[in-house]
Amino acid sequence: MEIFHDYEVGENCLLIDINFSSKPELNAELSELNGLVHAANWQISATVCAKRSLPDPKYFCGSGKLDEIKKIIDNNQIDLVVFNHAITPSQERNIEKALNCKVIDRTRLILEIFSQRAQTHEGKLQVELAQLNYVATRLVRGWTHLERQKGGIGMRGGPGETQLELDRRMLRQKIAQIEKRLEKVKKQRALSRTARQKNAVPTIAFVGYTNAGKSTLFNKLSGAQVLAKDQLFATLDPTLRKVIIPKLGEVVLSDTVGFIRNLPHNLVEAFHATLEEAIEADLLVHVIDYADEHHRAYIEQVHLVLEQIHAADKPIIQVYNKIDRLEDVKAHIIYHKDKPADVYLSAQTGQGIQFLYEAVAKYFNQQWLKGVLVLSTKHAKVRAELYQLGAVEKETISDSGEYQLALHIAKSDFDEICAHNKLELIAKFSHH
């Protein structure tokens, strides 16, 4: 069943951005829309900006503005209209009918880019799931040409309605199949993480606004060949690499999909399995394009997405990247008492990479406990929890029958076990 089609590379687009706030229009939002369209390999022929207090229920931008857009389309041989907003299926139908032109919204634009970028099996599954969920709300469009009047005795609708129900059922089945396959991927990831935890290998996830230089920094540290282009969503699939951090040892780095402003909630849900690397990581490295004048707004957007995926409380090293593009900014590190350090560097030139190594090593060396914990037999439940975490390296039994557990455990995990069992165990823990 052909539900949707991909748009062609090189299509001529008209961009529409409506400012619904009382604040001055943010050039950053329009700049990002331009970046998204270029990432889809389309050509921008014209841009229309407008202000409204509320979206028009029928045409989103209003009938007067639509007449203006129609003239621009006819004069410039435009193939595609792209809204920098989420529009409803009925608005999309009405606008297409009025303009006699293909119309997509911001969510569909991002899905187009994702479909071009996905390389791995998991990435392709997640794109397909997101597309199917999106199209499910717009399925009626495919059957508007069929009869909808009531039929004869016992009939509740015409053939179009019957076909529509069949396709909805097929969609639901397809979505269920993909969700099952993604659940398998999720379990495989969980097994890999458990193995890493048992080996006490710290995990670090790179997060950040798309195009901040995450993949360039990831490549610099790991020697990986992750695609690093000056383009939004250049990297979609997660990549994991083991690296050696000086004064610390082996860690696992993971590169995740870049975040953007107003990332649609359903896309966050669809890419939850990929973002799990950030959710489950011991430490996040938030890469920031320090040379971008809007970097403060982008930092806020990244924190909003981290809240959406329930990772906002993770410890974060903030990396201010691209200092090579700024005058009078040198590579340096700033330490804090209550949180990990901030690092200023250039992933492109390698300036300041040693400060990032230093910040990571300092964080984990402070936050990991290594030593022997002595437990009485009545605390067998605590012992079991420590084994489940993979924190026990060796165990002996004392002459008095107590457990002597050689541990290598994250302090946060140790604190959580103490709180969960309402115990104060640190007095029984001798550090090595």
Side-chain angles (χ1 to χ4, degrees):
M1 175 181 63
E2 190 68 33
I3 304 169
F4 51 80
H5 62 276
D6 290 326
Y7 297 98
E8 294 174 8
V9 169
E11 290 206 59
N12 293 317
C13 302
L14 182 144
L15 312 187
I16 300 176
D17 185 57
I18 314 293
N19 181 17
F20 293 107
S21 70
S22 57
K23 299 176 184 177
E25 187 173 2
L26 291 174
N27 291 330
E29 296 216 11
L30 193 55
S31 172
E32 183 175 276
L33 179 63
N34 275 268
L36 288 169
V37 170
H38 284 304
N41 296 313
W42 300 337
Q43 305 301 316
I44 300 172
S45 297
T47 301
V48 174
C49 297
K51 288 187 179 181
R52 288 184 64 91
S53 55
L54 292 168
D56 179 77
K58 187 173 183 181
Y59 293 119
F60 192 81
C61 58
S63 55
K65 183 59 67 175
L66 207 66
D67 291 338
E68 178 188 326
I69 292 165
K70 174 68 173 166
K71 290 176 184 175
I72 297 171
I73 288 172
D74 293 341
N75 292 336
N76 293 275
Q77 295 183 319
I78 287 167
D79 309 305
L80 180 65
V81 172
V82 181
F83 277 81
N84 193 22
H85 313 271
I87 58 177
T88 67
S90 61
Q91 287 169 337
E92 189 178 314
R93 287 196 299 275
N94 294 334
I95 297 166
E96 282 193 346
K97 191 173 180 182
L99 299 178
N100 193 29
C101 179
K102 291 182 288 189
V103 173
I104 67 171
D105 65 2
R106 180 184 170 87
T107 304
R108 180 61 204 252
L109 170 59
I110 296 168
L111 283 172
E112 285 293 329
I113 299 166
F114 281 3
S115 67
Q116 293 174 20
R117 296 283 184 276
Q119 299 294 325
T120 65
H121 175 63
E122 177 190 356
K124 290 174 181 176
L125 282 176
Q126 288 180 136
V127 169
E128 189 175 358
L129 177 61
Q131 285 180 326
L132 289 170
N133 281 321
Y134 175 83
V135 167
T137 63
R138 287 162 161 74
L139 190 59
V140 66
R141 293 179 59 202
W143 307 105
T144 50
H145 64 287
L146 295 179
E147 180 189 352
R148 297 225 175 269
Q149 65 184 19
K150 288 187 178 180
I153 297 172
M155 296 290 286
R156 290 197 170 271
E161 187 170 350
T162 305
Q163 183 64 60
L164 185 62
E165 287 305 314
L166 284 170
D167 284 337
R168 280 182 176 153
R169 191 180 306 118
M170 289 173 70
L171 261 180
R172 286 194 296 269
Q173 290 170 349
K174 185 72 174 171
I175 287 169
Q177 286 172 4
I178 294 173
E179 284 176 340
K180 278 185 181 178
R181 287 159 74 183
L182 279 172
E183 190 61 32
K184 283 185 180 179
V185 173
K186 185 177 176 182
K187 286 177 180 175
Q188 287 167 355
R189 284 193 179 280
L191 286 171
S192 298
R193 276 194 296 271
T194 302
R196 293 200 297 267
Q197 287 165 355
K198 281 184 177 178
N199 293 325
V201 179
T203 56
I204 303 169
F206 282 49
V207 298
Y209 209 77
T210 188
N211 208 29
K214 285 188 304 86
S215 297
T216 303
L217 182 57
F218 184 86
N219 289 345
K220 184 70 74 173
L221 297 178
S222 68
Q225 296 299 314
V226 175
L227 177 65
K229 292 177 68 178
D230 186 16
Q231 190 180 64
L232 300 185
F233 294 122
T235 306
L236 176 58
D237 299 301
T239 306
L240 279 74
R241 290 288 186 276
K242 284 185 179 180
V243 301
I244 302 296
I245 301 289
K247 298 180 183 178
L248 176 63
E250 190 176 77
V251 300
V252 172
L253 304 182
S254 66
D255 191 15
T256 59
V257 64
F259 302 158
I260 62 164
R261 185 185 300 274
N262 303 323
L263 187 63
H265 182 72
N266 58 333
L267 294 191
V268 174
E269 287 298 309
F271 286 83
H272 208 269
T274 297
L275 295 171
E276 267 185 1
E277 291 302 327
I279 299 167
E280 300 293 338
D282 298 309
L283 174 68
L284 302 183
V285 170
H286 177 188
V287 183
I288 300 155
D289 181 354
Y290 195 40
D292 192 311
E293 60 181 319
H294 304 291
H295 71 270
R296 291 187 186 280
Y298 295 158
I299 290 171
E300 290 177 16
Q301 292 298 320
V302 169
H303 284 293
L304 286 173
V305 176
L306 290 175
E307 284 177 11
Q308 279 183 275
I309 64 173
H310 310 295
D313 58 345
K314 290 281 179 184
I316 299 174
I317 290 176
Q318 296 208 135
V319 171
Y320 292 87
N321 188 27
K322 304 189 184 180
I323 62 167
D324 54 302
R325 299 186 183 182
L326 298 167
E327 292 181 9
D328 304 323
V329 179
K330 293 182 178 179
H332 64 285
I333 186 168
I334 298 175
Y335 288 108
H336 304 283
K337 286 185 179 179
D338 55 346
K339 62 178 183 178
D342 294 341
V343 177
Y344 292 75
L345 55 72
S346 167
Q348 191 69 45
T349 66
Q351 293 172 263
I353 294 292
Q354 74 275 17
F355 292 123
L356 179 56
Y357 285 141
E358 188 179 315
V360 171
K362 187 173 177 65
Y363 171 77
F364 283 109
N365 287 335
Q366 285 182 337
Q367 297 294 316
W368 283 79
L369 301 175
K370 191 172 177 69
V372 176
L373 177 67
V374 179
L375 288 176
S376 67
T377 52
K378 67 179 180 181
H379 291 142
K381 184 183 173 186
V382 176
R383 173 179 171 271
E385 286 181 21
L386 290 166
Y387 267 102
Q388 194 171 2
L389 276 173
V392 181
E393 293 183 331
K394 186 180 177 182
E395 179 184 7
T396 56
I397 305 294
S398 71
D399 294 337
S400 56
E402 292 175 310
Y403 303 119
Q404 295 177 322
L405 306 173
L407 301 181
H408 187 190
I409 185 170
K411 187 176 182 301
S412 57
D413 287 339
F414 188 82
D415 292 342
E416 188 175 332
I417 286 176
C418 290
H420 180 246
N421 291 282
K422 298 179 181 177
L423 294 172
E424 179 55 58
L425 298 175
I426 200 71
K428 300 182 178 182
F429 191 99
S430 60
H431 295 274
H432 282 178

